[in-house]
Amino acid sequence: MGKIKKIAVMTSGGDAPGMNAAIRSVVRTCAYYSTECVGIYRGYQGLVEADFINLTARSVNNIIHKGGTILKTARSTAFRTEEGRKKAYENLKENEIDALVVIGGDGSFTGGVVFNQEYNFPIIGIPGTIDNDIYGTTHTIGYDTALNTAVEAIDKIRDTASSHNRLFFVEVMGRDAGFIALNAGVGAGAEEILIPEEDLGLDRLLESLKKSRRAGKSSSIVVVSEGDKTGKNVFELADYVEENLPNYEARVSVLGHMQRGGSPSCFDRVLASRLGVKAVELLIDGQTNLMVGLQNNEVQTTSLEKAIKGQHTIDKELLRVSDIMTI
């Protein structure tokens, strides 16, 4: 790998609060080391179409506090083809770009691994996803902000639940991972938490709600991860409970994409800044095919292949705490 003179940065997959802070960090670290920086609009699709923009330290003024991503993000069917990846490589070489920083999740990293294998092009990944489902880091960029958004929303829903003696099912994001649901549920004092990693089952859910009634609870909050399979979906789950527990008046609230938006928390801004610096320094140092992440509050690296294939497991101790708190 020759000397790195120009680095490109892009955001890919679902947007996450803190992505702009990561872009800012990459750009300013490049400037610090007298390395040119190029932004790629719309992720891999922009790579295929050569939708590039030169970025300087001043180009990223006043974006650290903004949600979303100034570089946009999009799905790319073209990059999934050999022809598309060949065009992407040609665009990089034509613009004299020597290395690439990919900010995204496992799907984005998978594309990076394939591209690196085919063209031996230097790539470093920065984990940016609210799901927190990437192996090799305790926190992904955007996760902390999404958690705070979910807890704030559940707190407000609880006010209504208490006022009307209602049972609320609150669905949070998480796809196949229950990190948001588990932590937001504990933080907001939910009576039950349904996550994909733990099959609670309908019978146990009913028994838990009956127990809450007997304990004198007039209202309840059940936090449901969108990937949970206890019911076909959260609405049918609510209907099932109403049919079997007629004393409960159930309501459903799906928080949806509001969890992706908003100004990133201080934690996410700092995390993004740390990971961006490390990503650029690794490339300048001649390293590639790695993801930067946070472990034991230190920035460490994991191979992109391991980050994709490894499993970030749910915290069993927190599950135990959740069970105790529902007494």
Side-chain angles (χ1 to χ4, degrees):
M1 199 162 96
K3 178 174 170 56
I4 301 296
K5 297 178 180 178
K6 186 185 288 189
I7 294 174
V9 58
M10 71 178 191
T11 50
S12 176
D15 63 300
M19 279 185 164
N20 282 326
I23 294 167
R24 173 181 179 270
S25 178
V26 169
V27 173
R28 293 199 167 177
T29 306
C30 284
Y32 181 83
Y33 286 106
S34 301
T35 303
E36 292 184 70
C37 191
V38 171
I40 301 172
Y41 282 116
R42 297 176 295 116
Y44 287 115
Q45 189 61 30
L47 192 56
V48 173
E49 297 175 4
D51 194 0
F52 301 160
I53 181 174
N54 291 323
L55 296 173
T56 67
R58 301 286 74 79
S59 302
V60 290
N61 282 351
N62 302 318
I63 68 167
I64 193 171
H65 63 290
K66 293 181 178 178
T69 163
I70 61 167
L71 291 178
K72 312 296 183 184
T73 181
R75 296 186 183 278
S76 177
T77 54
F79 191 79
R80 295 177 183 270
T81 67
E82 290 185 10
E83 296 79 9
R85 293 191 294 275
K86 183 173 184 290
K87 180 61 177 173
Y89 179 72
E90 290 171 350
N91 290 336
L92 289 169
K93 301 313 290 182
E94 185 178 330
N95 285 272
E96 300 181 327
I97 295 169
D98 304 309
L100 178 63
V101 174
V102 178
I103 306 168
D106 55 0
S108 306
F109 293 164
T110 300
V113 167
V114 172
F115 193 65
N116 178 267
Q117 289 172 343
E118 290 179 345
Y119 295 100
N120 195 30
F121 195 84
I123 291 177
I124 297 292
I126 296 178
T129 167
I130 67 168
D131 293 343
N132 203 46
D133 58 350
I134 304 294
Y135 180 84
T137 184
T138 56
H139 291 75
T140 56
I141 295 170
Y143 171 59
D144 184 71
T145 305
L147 263 186
N148 289 327
T149 299
V151 168
E152 183 179 355
I154 295 169
D155 285 347
K156 293 178 179 178
I157 289 169
R158 184 177 288 283
D159 291 342
T160 293
S162 299
S163 298
H164 295 272
N165 292 340
R166 283 176 180 159
L167 165 64
F168 265 87
F169 286 88
V170 183
E171 184 185 88
V172 299
M173 281 184 153
R175 200 176 53 175
D176 299 321
F179 296 100
I180 292 177
L182 178 57
N183 283 269
V186 171
E191 277 65 41
E192 277 297 345
I193 303 167
L194 307 183
I195 58 175
E197 294 86 346
E198 296 286 321
D199 186 6
L200 180 66
L202 291 171
D203 291 340
R204 188 187 148 186
L205 174 61
L206 291 178
E207 185 53 42
S208 176
L209 292 172
K210 289 177 183 176
K211 182 181 173 183
S212 293
R213 265 294 195 212
R214 290 194 298 267
K217 294 182 181 179
S218 58
S219 64
S220 293
I221 299 287
V222 178
V223 176
V224 185
S225 175
E226 63 180 339
D228 179 71
K229 298 298 186 288
T230 302
K232 290 183 180 179
N233 59 55
V234 68
F235 294 97
E236 291 192 6
L237 194 59
D239 289 341
Y240 179 84
V241 169
E242 275 199 329
E243 289 170 9
N244 288 273
L245 298 176
N247 289 333
Y248 270 116
E249 185 182 355
R251 294 289 184 272
V252 172
S253 182
V254 178
L255 300 189
H257 286 80
M258 66 178 290
Q259 294 160 91
R260 287 196 186 280
S263 182
S265 65
C266 179
F267 181 92
D268 276 328
R269 299 182 200 192
V270 173
L271 176 63
S273 299
R274 294 175 70 184
L275 299 186
V277 169
K278 186 66 172 179
V280 172
E281 290 179 342
L282 286 170
L283 288 170
I284 292 174
D285 194 41
Q287 299 191 58
T288 182
N289 210 33
L290 296 171
M291 182 198 79
V292 290
L294 192 68
Q295 298 184 53
N296 299 318
N297 203 32
E298 293 182 358
V299 177
Q300 299 183 15
T301 61
T302 305
S303 72
L304 280 178
E305 289 95 337
K306 196 169 183 180
I308 296 164
K309 295 177 182 177
Q311 186 152 8
H312 186 178
T313 56
I314 209 79
D315 187 345
K316 296 292 186 181
E317 173 62 16
L318 196 54
L319 281 171
R320 193 176 74 87
V321 168
S322 171
D323 286 341
I324 292 172
M325 291 298 102
T326 59
I327 189 72

Short mmCIF file of all heavy atoms in Angstrom, two decimals, residues 152-199:
data_model
loop_
_atom_site.label_atom_id
_atom_site.label_comp_id
_atom_site.label_asym_id
_atom_site.label_seq_id
_atom_site.Cartn_x
_atom_site.Cartn_y
_atom_site.Cartn_z
N GLU A 152 -37.34 8.93 26.68
CA GLU A 152 -38.13 10.17 26.83
C GLU A 152 -39.56 9.96 26.34
O GLU A 152 -40.52 10.40 26.99
CB GLU A 152 -37.47 11.30 26.04
CG GLU A 152 -38.17 12.65 26.20
CD GLU A 152 -37.48 13.76 25.43
OE1 GLU A 152 -36.41 13.53 24.85
OE2 GLU A 152 -38.03 14.88 25.40
N ALA A 153 -39.71 9.25 25.22
CA ALA A 153 -41.05 8.99 24.69
C ALA A 153 -41.84 8.07 25.61
O ALA A 153 -43.03 8.31 25.87
CB ALA A 153 -40.94 8.37 23.30
N ILE A 154 -41.19 7.03 26.14
CA ILE A 154 -41.88 6.09 27.04
C ILE A 154 -42.30 6.80 28.32
O ILE A 154 -43.39 6.55 28.86
CB ILE A 154 -40.98 4.88 27.34
CG1 ILE A 154 -40.73 4.08 26.06
CG2 ILE A 154 -41.62 3.98 28.39
CD1 ILE A 154 -39.64 3.03 26.18
N ASP A 155 -41.46 7.70 28.83
CA ASP A 155 -41.83 8.48 30.02
C ASP A 155 -43.13 9.24 29.79
O ASP A 155 -44.00 9.32 30.67
CB ASP A 155 -40.71 9.46 30.38
CG ASP A 155 -39.51 8.78 31.02
OD1 ASP A 155 -39.63 7.61 31.42
OD2 ASP A 155 -38.44 9.43 31.11
N LYS A 156 -43.27 9.82 28.62
CA LYS A 156 -44.48 10.60 28.30
C LYS A 156 -45.69 9.69 28.13
O LYS A 156 -46.80 10.02 28.55
CB LYS A 156 -44.24 11.43 27.04
CG LYS A 156 -43.21 12.53 27.23
CD LYS A 156 -42.94 13.31 25.96
CE LYS A 156 -41.92 14.42 26.22
NZ LYS A 156 -41.59 15.19 25.01
N ILE A 157 -45.46 8.53 27.51
CA ILE A 157 -46.55 7.57 27.35
C ILE A 157 -47.03 7.07 28.71
O ILE A 157 -48.23 6.87 28.94
CB ILE A 157 -46.10 6.40 26.46
CG1 ILE A 157 -45.95 6.89 25.01
CG2 ILE A 157 -47.08 5.23 26.53
CD1 ILE A 157 -45.26 5.90 24.10
N ARG A 158 -46.11 6.88 29.64
CA ARG A 158 -46.48 6.41 30.96
C ARG A 158 -47.43 7.39 31.66
O ARG A 158 -48.34 6.98 32.40
CB ARG A 158 -45.25 6.18 31.84
CG ARG A 158 -45.59 5.58 33.21
CD ARG A 158 -44.36 5.29 34.03
NE ARG A 158 -43.60 4.16 33.53
CZ ARG A 158 -43.95 2.89 33.71
NH1 ARG A 158 -45.08 2.59 34.36
NH2 ARG A 158 -43.20 1.91 33.25
N ASP A 159 -47.24 8.69 31.44
CA ASP A 159 -48.15 9.68 32.03
C ASP A 159 -49.59 9.42 31.60
O ASP A 159 -50.52 9.45 32.41
CB ASP A 159 -47.74 11.10 31.60
CG ASP A 159 -46.42 11.53 32.23
OD1 ASP A 159 -46.01 10.91 33.22
OD2 ASP A 159 -45.82 12.48 31.72
N THR A 160 -49.75 9.13 30.29
CA THR A 160 -51.10 8.84 29.78
C THR A 160 -51.59 7.49 30.29
O THR A 160 -52.76 7.35 30.66
CB THR A 160 -51.08 8.85 28.23
OG1 THR A 160 -50.83 10.17 27.78
CG2 THR A 160 -52.40 8.38 27.66
N ALA A 161 -50.72 6.49 30.31
CA ALA A 161 -51.10 5.16 30.80
C ALA A 161 -51.60 5.23 32.23
O ALA A 161 -52.62 4.63 32.59
CB ALA A 161 -49.90 4.21 30.69
N SER A 162 -50.92 6.00 33.06
CA SER A 162 -51.31 6.13 34.47
C SER A 162 -52.62 6.88 34.62
O SER A 162 -53.45 6.55 35.47
CB SER A 162 -50.20 6.87 35.25
OG SER A 162 -48.99 6.14 35.20
N SER A 163 -52.82 7.88 33.79
CA SER A 163 -54.03 8.69 33.88
C SER A 163 -55.28 7.90 33.51
O SER A 163 -56.37 8.16 34.03
CB SER A 163 -53.91 9.92 32.97
OG SER A 163 -52.84 10.74 33.38
N HIS A 164 -55.13 6.93 32.60
CA HIS A 164 -56.29 6.19 32.10
C HIS A 164 -56.30 4.73 32.52
O HIS A 164 -57.14 3.96 32.05
CB HIS A 164 -56.34 6.28 30.57
CG HIS A 164 -56.56 7.66 30.05
ND1 HIS A 164 -57.81 8.19 29.85
CD2 HIS A 164 -55.67 8.62 29.69
CE1 HIS A 164 -57.69 9.43 29.38
NE2 HIS A 164 -56.40 9.72 29.28
N ASN A 165 -55.36 4.34 33.38
CA ASN A 165 -55.26 2.93 33.80
C ASN A 165 -55.18 1.99 32.60
O ASN A 165 -55.91 1.00 32.50
CB ASN A 165 -56.46 2.53 34.67
CG ASN A 165 -56.44 3.25 36.01
OD1 ASN A 165 -55.39 3.73 36.45
ND2 ASN A 165 -57.59 3.31 36.67
N ARG A 166 -54.28 2.32 31.69
CA ARG A 166 -54.15 1.54 30.46
C ARG A 166 -52.85 0.75 30.40
O ARG A 166 -51.89 1.06 31.08
CB ARG A 166 -54.22 2.47 29.24
CG ARG A 166 -55.63 2.93 28.90
CD ARG A 166 -55.63 3.91 27.75
NE ARG A 166 -56.99 4.34 27.42
CZ ARG A 166 -57.28 5.44 26.76
NH1 ARG A 166 -56.31 6.25 26.36
NH2 ARG A 166 -58.53 5.76 26.51
N LEU A 167 -52.89 -0.26 29.53
CA LEU A 167 -51.69 -1.03 29.19
C LEU A 167 -51.19 -0.53 27.84
O LEU A 167 -51.94 -0.53 26.85
CB LEU A 167 -52.04 -2.52 29.11
CG LEU A 167 -51.02 -3.44 28.43
CD1 LEU A 167 -49.72 -3.47 29.21
CD2 LEU A 167 -51.60 -4.84 28.27
N PHE A 168 -49.95 -0.09 27.79
CA PHE A 168 -49.37 0.39 26.54
C PHE A 168 -48.28 -0.57 26.06
O PHE A 168 -47.37 -0.93 26.81
CB PHE A 168 -48.76 1.78 26.71
CG PHE A 168 -49.68 2.90 26.33
CD1 PHE A 168 -50.56 3.43 27.27
CD2 PHE A 168 -49.66 3.43 25.05
CE1 PHE A 168 -51.41 4.47 26.92
CE2 PHE A 168 -50.51 4.47 24.70
CZ PHE A 168 -51.39 5.00 25.64
N PHE A 169 -48.41 -0.97 24.79
CA PHE A 169 -47.32 -1.67 24.11
C PHE A 169 -46.55 -0.63 23.31
O PHE A 169 -47.12 0.01 22.42
CB PHE A 169 -47.87 -2.76 23.18
CG PHE A 169 -48.39 -3.97 23.90
CD1 PHE A 169 -49.73 -4.00 24.32
CD2 PHE A 169 -47.58 -5.05 24.16
CE1 PHE A 169 -50.22 -5.11 24.99
CE2 PHE A 169 -48.07 -6.16 24.83
CZ PHE A 169 -49.39 -6.20 25.25
N VAL A 170 -45.27 -0.45 23.63
CA VAL A 170 -44.45 0.54 22.94
C VAL A 170 -43.40 -0.20 22.10
O VAL A 170 -42.52 -0.87 22.65
CB VAL A 170 -43.74 1.49 23.92
CG1 VAL A 170 -42.95 2.55 23.17
CG2 VAL A 170 -44.76 2.15 24.85
N GLU A 171 -43.52 -0.09 20.79
CA GLU A 171 -42.56 -0.75 19.90
C GLU A 171 -41.40 0.19 19.60
O GLU A 171 -41.59 1.32 19.17
CB GLU A 171 -43.22 -1.18 18.60
CG GLU A 171 -42.26 -1.96 17.69
CD GLU A 171 -42.86 -2.29 16.35
OE1 GLU A 171 -42.75 -1.46 15.42
OE2 GLU A 171 -43.45 -3.39 16.22
N VAL A 172 -40.19 -0.32 19.83
CA VAL A 172 -38.99 0.43 19.51
C VAL A 172 -38.23 -0.28 18.40
O VAL A 172 -38.48 -1.45 18.10
CB VAL A 172 -38.07 0.59 20.75
CG1 VAL A 172 -38.79 1.35 21.85
CG2 VAL A 172 -37.59 -0.77 21.26
N MET A 173 -37.30 0.42 17.78
CA MET A 173 -36.53 -0.17 16.69
C MET A 173 -35.53 -1.19 17.23
O MET A 173 -35.27 -1.24 18.42
CB MET A 173 -35.80 0.93 15.91
CG MET A 173 -36.71 1.66 14.93
SD MET A 173 -35.82 2.86 13.95
CE MET A 173 -36.85 2.89 12.49
N GLY A 174 -34.99 -2.00 16.33
CA GLY A 174 -34.03 -2.99 16.75
C GLY A 174 -33.89 -4.15 15.80
O GLY A 174 -33.01 -4.99 15.97
N ARG A 175 -34.77 -4.23 14.80
CA ARG A 175 -34.68 -5.29 13.80
C ARG A 175 -34.48 -6.64 14.48
O ARG A 175 -35.40 -7.14 15.11
CB ARG A 175 -33.56 -4.97 12.80
CG ARG A 175 -33.66 -5.70 11.49
CD ARG A 175 -32.59 -5.28 10.52
NE ARG A 175 -31.25 -5.36 11.09
CZ ARG A 175 -30.14 -5.12 10.42
NH1 ARG A 175 -30.21 -4.76 9.16
NH2 ARG A 175 -28.97 -5.22 11.00
N ASP A 176 -33.27 -7.22 14.39
CA ASP A 176 -33.02 -8.53 15.00
C ASP A 176 -32.28 -8.43 16.32
O ASP A 176 -31.79 -9.43 16.85
CB ASP A 176 -32.21 -9.41 14.04
CG ASP A 176 -32.94 -9.65 12.72
OD1 ASP A 176 -34.17 -9.84 12.78
OD2 ASP A 176 -32.31 -9.62 11.66
N ALA A 177 -32.17 -7.22 16.86
CA ALA A 177 -31.41 -7.03 18.10
C ALA A 177 -32.25 -6.25 19.10
O ALA A 177 -32.94 -5.30 18.76
CB ALA A 177 -30.12 -6.27 17.81
N GLY A 178 -32.18 -6.69 20.37
CA GLY A 178 -33.03 -6.09 21.40
C GLY A 178 -32.33 -5.10 22.31
O GLY A 178 -32.82 -4.82 23.40
N PHE A 179 -31.21 -4.54 21.88
CA PHE A 179 -30.44 -3.64 22.75
C PHE A 179 -31.23 -2.39 23.14
O PHE A 179 -31.23 -1.98 24.30
CB PHE A 179 -29.12 -3.26 22.07
CG PHE A 179 -28.20 -4.42 21.86
CD1 PHE A 179 -28.10 -5.02 20.61
CD2 PHE A 179 -27.44 -4.93 22.90
CE1 PHE A 179 -27.26 -6.10 20.41
CE2 PHE A 179 -26.60 -6.01 22.72
CZ PHE A 179 -26.51 -6.60 21.47
N ILE A 180 -31.89 -1.77 22.17
CA ILE A 180 -32.66 -0.56 22.48
C ILE A 180 -33.81 -0.92 23.41
O ILE A 180 -34.03 -0.25 24.43
CB ILE A 180 -33.21 0.10 21.19
CG1 ILE A 180 -32.06 0.66 20.35
CG2 ILE A 180 -34.20 1.21 21.54
CD1 ILE A 180 -32.51 1.28 19.03
N ALA A 181 -34.54 -1.99 23.11
CA ALA A 181 -35.69 -2.37 23.92
C ALA A 181 -35.29 -2.69 25.35
O ALA A 181 -35.92 -2.23 26.31
CB ALA A 181 -36.40 -3.58 23.29
N LEU A 182 -34.24 -3.47 25.52
CA LEU A 182 -33.83 -3.89 26.86
C LEU A 182 -33.38 -2.70 27.70
O LEU A 182 -33.84 -2.51 28.83
CB LEU A 182 -32.71 -4.93 26.78
CG LEU A 182 -32.16 -5.43 28.12
CD1 LEU A 182 -33.27 -6.02 28.99
CD2 LEU A 182 -31.05 -6.46 27.90
N ASN A 183 -32.50 -1.89 27.15
CA ASN A 183 -31.97 -0.77 27.92
C ASN A 183 -33.02 0.32 28.13
O ASN A 183 -33.13 0.88 29.23
CB ASN A 183 -30.74 -0.19 27.24
CG ASN A 183 -29.51 -1.05 27.45
OD1 ASN A 183 -28.76 -0.87 28.39
ND2 ASN A 183 -29.31 -2.02 26.56
N ALA A 184 -33.81 0.62 27.11
CA ALA A 184 -34.87 1.62 27.27
C ALA A 184 -35.93 1.13 28.23
O ALA A 184 -36.48 1.90 29.03
CB ALA A 184 -35.49 1.96 25.91
N GLY A 185 -36.23 -0.17 28.16
CA GLY A 185 -37.22 -0.74 29.06
C GLY A 185 -36.81 -0.66 30.52
O GLY A 185 -37.60 -0.29 31.38
N VAL A 186 -35.56 -1.00 30.79
CA VAL A 186 -35.05 -0.89 32.16
C VAL A 186 -35.01 0.57 32.59
O VAL A 186 -35.41 0.92 33.70
CB VAL A 186 -33.64 -1.54 32.28
CG1 VAL A 186 -33.03 -1.24 33.64
CG2 VAL A 186 -33.73 -3.04 32.07
N GLY A 187 -34.52 1.43 31.70
CA GLY A 187 -34.40 2.85 32.03
C GLY A 187 -35.73 3.54 32.26
O GLY A 187 -35.82 4.49 33.05
N ALA A 188 -36.77 3.07 31.57
CA ALA A 188 -38.09 3.69 31.70
C ALA A 188 -38.99 2.95 32.67
O ALA A 188 -40.15 3.33 32.87
CB ALA A 188 -38.76 3.77 30.33
N GLY A 189 -38.48 1.87 33.28
CA GLY A 189 -39.27 1.14 34.27
C GLY A 189 -40.40 0.33 33.70
O GLY A 189 -41.48 0.21 34.30
N ALA A 190 -40.20 -0.28 32.52
CA ALA A 190 -41.25 -1.09 31.88
C ALA A 190 -41.56 -2.34 32.71
O ALA A 190 -40.68 -2.89 33.36
CB ALA A 190 -40.83 -1.48 30.48
N GLU A 191 -42.81 -2.76 32.66
CA GLU A 191 -43.22 -3.97 33.37
C GLU A 191 -42.74 -5.23 32.66
O GLU A 191 -42.46 -6.24 33.30
CB GLU A 191 -44.75 -4.01 33.53
CG GLU A 191 -45.27 -3.20 34.70
CD GLU A 191 -45.03 -1.71 34.54
OE1 GLU A 191 -45.21 -1.18 33.42
OE2 GLU A 191 -44.66 -1.04 35.53
N GLU A 192 -42.68 -5.17 31.34
CA GLU A 192 -42.16 -6.31 30.57
C GLU A 192 -41.39 -5.77 29.37
O GLU A 192 -41.67 -4.69 28.85
CB GLU A 192 -43.26 -7.24 30.08
CG GLU A 192 -43.72 -8.26 31.11
CD GLU A 192 -42.63 -9.23 31.53
OE1 GLU A 192 -41.59 -9.33 30.83
OE2 GLU A 192 -42.82 -9.90 32.56
N ILE A 193 -40.40 -6.56 28.93
CA ILE A 193 -39.59 -6.20 27.77
C ILE A 193 -39.51 -7.41 26.86
O ILE A 193 -39.10 -8.50 27.30
CB ILE A 193 -38.16 -5.78 28.21
CG1 ILE A 193 -38.22 -4.62 29.21
CG2 ILE A 193 -37.32 -5.40 27.00
CD1 ILE A 193 -36.91 -4.34 29.92
N LEU A 194 -39.91 -7.25 25.62
CA LEU A 194 -39.91 -8.35 24.65
C LEU A 194 -38.83 -8.11 23.61
O LEU A 194 -38.87 -7.11 22.89
CB LEU A 194 -41.28 -8.47 23.98
CG LEU A 194 -42.50 -8.57 24.90
CD1 LEU A 194 -43.77 -8.75 24.08
CD2 LEU A 194 -42.34 -9.72 25.89
N ILE A 195 -37.87 -9.02 23.53
CA ILE A 195 -36.74 -8.87 22.61
C ILE A 195 -36.53 -10.16 21.82
O ILE A 195 -36.90 -11.24 22.28
CB ILE A 195 -35.45 -8.49 23.35
CG1 ILE A 195 -35.09 -9.55 24.41
CG2 ILE A 195 -35.58 -7.12 24.00
CD1 ILE A 195 -33.76 -9.29 25.10
N PRO A 196 -35.93 -10.08 20.63
CA PRO A 196 -35.73 -11.27 19.80
C PRO A 196 -34.86 -12.32 20.45
O PRO A 196 -35.03 -13.52 20.22
CB PRO A 196 -35.05 -10.72 18.53
CG PRO A 196 -35.34 -9.26 18.53
CD PRO A 196 -35.47 -8.85 19.96
N GLU A 197 -33.89 -11.90 21.27
CA GLU A 197 -32.94 -12.83 21.86
C GLU A 197 -33.55 -13.73 22.94
O GLU A 197 -33.01 -14.79 23.25
CB GLU A 197 -31.75 -12.07 22.48
CG GLU A 197 -30.88 -11.33 21.49
CD GLU A 197 -31.40 -9.93 21.17
OE1 GLU A 197 -32.56 -9.61 21.52
OE2 GLU A 197 -30.63 -9.16 20.58
N GLU A 198 -34.67 -13.29 23.51
CA GLU A 198 -35.31 -14.05 24.58
C GLU A 198 -36.79 -14.24 24.24
O GLU A 198 -37.54 -13.28 24.18
CB GLU A 198 -35.19 -13.29 25.92
CG GLU A 198 -33.77 -13.12 26.41
CD GLU A 198 -33.18 -14.39 26.97
OE1 GLU A 198 -33.92 -15.14 27.64
OE2 GLU A 198 -32.00 -14.65 26.72
N ASP A 199 -37.20 -15.48 24.01
CA ASP A 199 -38.60 -15.75 23.67
C ASP A 199 -39.42 -15.84 24.95
O ASP A 199 -39.47 -16.89 25.59
CB ASP A 199 -38.68 -17.06 22.87
CG ASP A 199 -40.10 -17.32 22.37
OD1 ASP A 199 -40.95 -16.43 22.55
OD2 ASP A 199 -40.34 -18.40 21.83
#
